[in-house]
Amino acid sequence: MKVVVQVKLMPQAEQVGALSVTLRTVNEAANWVSAVAFERGVPREYELRKHTYGELRSRGLGAQAAQHIIKKTRDAYTTLRANIRAGNLGKPGSKRRTKAESKPIVFRPEAAQPYDDRCLSWQYEARTVSIWTTSGRIKNVRFACSPDALKTLRDHRQGESDLIERDGVFYLLATCDVPEAEQYEPGHFIGVDLGIANIATTSAGHKSAGRGLNRHRKRQLDLRRKLQAKGTKSAKRLLKKRNRREQRHAKNQNHIIAKTIVTEAERTSAGISLEELRGIRQRVRLRKPQRVALHSWAFAQLADFIVYKARRAGVPVVFVDPAYTSQQCCECGHIDKRNRVSQARFTCRNCGVVAHADRNASHNIARKGVAVWTAGRESRVPATP
């Protein structure tokens, strides 16, 4: 299982300048390679290398750096084509898709640059790295990370690491190949209902978010509106800064929620049943205020965090169809859209059960998870002759 570990670099003053110049130089070169690729119809990597490698070397870039720039550019076009095929950039002729197809891909000056073991070496005990720059190789660049991250790096780091810059701070993103834990046979399943008022509600009784987090989200939305209304350069700069801060906050909360759910499942030898919410923004029709609330939280990120933490712990995870989970009674199975009296209240019109709507839905998701797991297990059993 691939896991990305992020470490923060703490270079000295002269090292900062070398790293900054290196990133800007390689991304400027990547923009030139991108223009060549676009002009030639995005050829294969080998052919693109024939048209660009010599020029990159003449600019003073090392052989490995030049190779990585070409590969990075070609991978960016591969990703673009995949997004176009998947419809992520709209239908043919749409403004967004036309804009993406009509010009070369552009790399930001501080965009990530990949490094392999020839360009980057780690000294784990000293917590330093030696890294290639356009000014030569610099050594003893200190880095900081948690003890768990350091252990993961030491035991499982493989492949390339990416150097990036965010707000003047440099980070290394290292790829680690962590073995998955052996998956156990679950005794039951914990259903997880993802929502707006409560980010995650489980059938085991855990409820994440609520008033505090929603107040934070509303406060951030009001601040964004004020800054957008101003429209000045400083307001736009502050808007970008706040946007990154919100993303970090949401990511941290999703990590906390995912860890809580996986820990509970592992403690009780249970599996986790999640709603298949891919494409929900395209399927659901809501009023504008509801759309804002729906789009303001990274539900897909939360699901991804739960999946990867569960794989590391050996916890089984299944995805189920979320259809009618909020309208069906978890006691008698009666489905009626009038059962959902309000956002928080569920009252069954058949058996009279009264429950919290999210808790009721989580029990339905848990039951569906058992059915999916059983069906999958039976499909793996060979038929008797």
Side-chain angles (χ1 to χ4, degrees):
M1 179 178 64
K2 301 296 184 183
V3 175
V4 177
V5 175
Q6 175 179 285
V7 302
K8 179 181 178 181
L9 294 183
M10 298 182 292
Q12 299 176 1
E14 62 275 11
Q15 296 173 337
V16 170
L19 292 173
S20 181
V21 169
T22 298
L23 271 185
R24 278 148 183 78
T25 301
V26 296
N27 283 304
E28 181 182 348
N31 286 331
W32 175 77
V33 175
S34 177
V36 173
F38 184 80
E39 181 183 348
R40 295 182 176 274
V42 192
R44 294 180 180 272
E45 185 179 334
Y46 177 76
E47 184 181 349
L48 182 60
R49 187 179 294 117
K50 290 194 299 184
H51 295 296
T52 58
Y53 180 77
E55 172 64 21
L56 293 176
R57 292 288 284 139
S58 67
R59 295 188 179 194
L61 295 172
Q64 289 302 114
Q67 299 279 17
H68 285 308
I69 290 170
I70 296 169
K71 186 177 184 300
K72 176 174 78 169
T73 305
R74 189 61 184 82
D75 289 346
Y77 277 100
T78 301
T79 302
L80 175 62
R81 284 183 172 178
N83 283 326
I84 290 174
R85 284 197 302 269
N88 297 334
L89 298 179
K91 298 179 181 179
S94 66
K95 184 177 179 180
R96 186 181 179 191
R97 178 166 173 174
T98 301
K99 182 179 179 181
E101 294 176 323
S102 62
K103 60 181 182 179
I105 291 176
V106 177
F107 295 90
R108 294 175 291 104
E110 66 277 9
Q113 172 66 12
Y115 280 77
D116 61 15
D117 288 342
R118 296 182 184 180
C119 305
L120 174 70
S121 60
W122 299 76
Q123 296 81 44
Y124 300 116
E125 297 303 326
R127 294 205 181 188
T128 60
V129 295
S130 170
I131 187 170
W132 172 87
T133 69
T134 53
S135 304
R137 197 174 187 98
I138 56 176
K139 300 180 179 180
N140 300 322
V141 181
R142 294 186 302 123
F143 69 85
C145 64
S146 68
D148 288 341
L150 182 63
K151 185 177 185 302
T152 303
L153 281 172
R154 183 187 293 111
D155 297 341
H156 306 295
R157 189 190 65 80
Q158 287 187 1
E160 298 176 349
S161 302
D162 288 346
L163 174 68
I164 63 172
E165 180 184 355
R166 296 185 192 136
D167 300 327
V169 181
F170 293 93
Y171 299 91
L172 280 173
L173 307 182
T175 303
C176 300
D177 192 3
V178 180
E180 297 182 23
E182 184 178 354
Q183 199 176 78
Y184 56 77
E185 185 69 24
H188 64 284
F189 273 82
I190 295 176
V192 182
D193 178 62
L194 304 179
I196 296 172
N198 298 302
I199 301 301
T201 303
T202 71
S203 56
H206 177 73
K207 185 166 62 175
S208 300
R211 293 182 182 178
L213 186 53
N214 285 322
R215 280 199 299 266
H216 173 83
R217 294 162 68 189
K218 186 178 183 303
R219 185 165 61 250
Q220 298 304 317
L221 177 60
D222 292 338
L223 288 172
R224 283 201 305 272
R225 285 173 176 167
K226 291 179 181 178
L227 292 171
Q228 289 167 350
K230 285 187 176 182
T232 61
K233 287 185 178 181
S234 59
K236 292 178 181 178
R237 185 167 57 250
L238 184 57
L239 193 61
K240 289 182 180 180
K241 184 177 179 180
R242 296 205 68 86
N243 180 52
R244 292 191 291 269
R245 184 180 299 174
E246 287 181 52
Q247 289 176 353
R248 292 194 299 270
H249 178 79
K251 185 176 182 179
N252 180 61
Q253 290 295 325
N254 279 339
H255 269 299
I256 293 172
I257 295 170
K259 184 176 182 179
T260 302
I261 293 171
V262 172
T263 301
E264 176 65 17
E266 185 181 16
R267 185 183 67 82
T268 58
S269 299
I272 299 175
S273 180
L274 296 172
E275 300 171 279
E276 179 54 76
L277 297 178
R278 304 288 179 179
I280 188 174
R281 288 173 170 82
Q282 288 74 35
R283 297 196 308 265
V284 178
R285 296 181 179 274
L286 299 170
R287 294 186 178 92
K288 188 172 182 179
Q290 294 173 311
R291 289 200 303 268
V292 172
L294 176 67
H295 295 187
S296 65
W297 197 259
F299 292 106
Q301 183 190 72
L302 173 58
D304 290 342
F305 285 173
I306 292 174
V307 169
Y308 103 77
K309 291 178 188 294
R311 288 172 63 186
R312 294 191 68 174
V315 177
V317 177
V318 296
F319 284 86
V320 303
D321 184 359
Y324 306 111
T325 52
S326 63
Q327 301 176 13
Q328 184 178 17
C329 177
C330 64
E331 295 292 336
C332 68
H334 177 67
I335 299 176
D336 191 332
K337 64 180 180 181
R338 295 174 297 177
N339 288 346
R340 188 75 178 260
V341 179
S342 64
Q343 188 280 326
R345 187 179 180 188
F346 180 92
T347 303
C348 180
R349 290 181 171 266
N350 181 52
C351 66
V353 165
V354 178
H356 191 282
D358 294 340
R359 184 68 55 79
N360 175 79
S362 67
H363 283 289
N364 289 329
I365 294 169
R367 188 180 65 253
K368 286 190 174 185
V370 173
V372 169
W373 176 262
T374 303
R377 183 174 52 184
E378 290 176 349
S379 67
R380 293 191 292 269
V381 177
T384 55

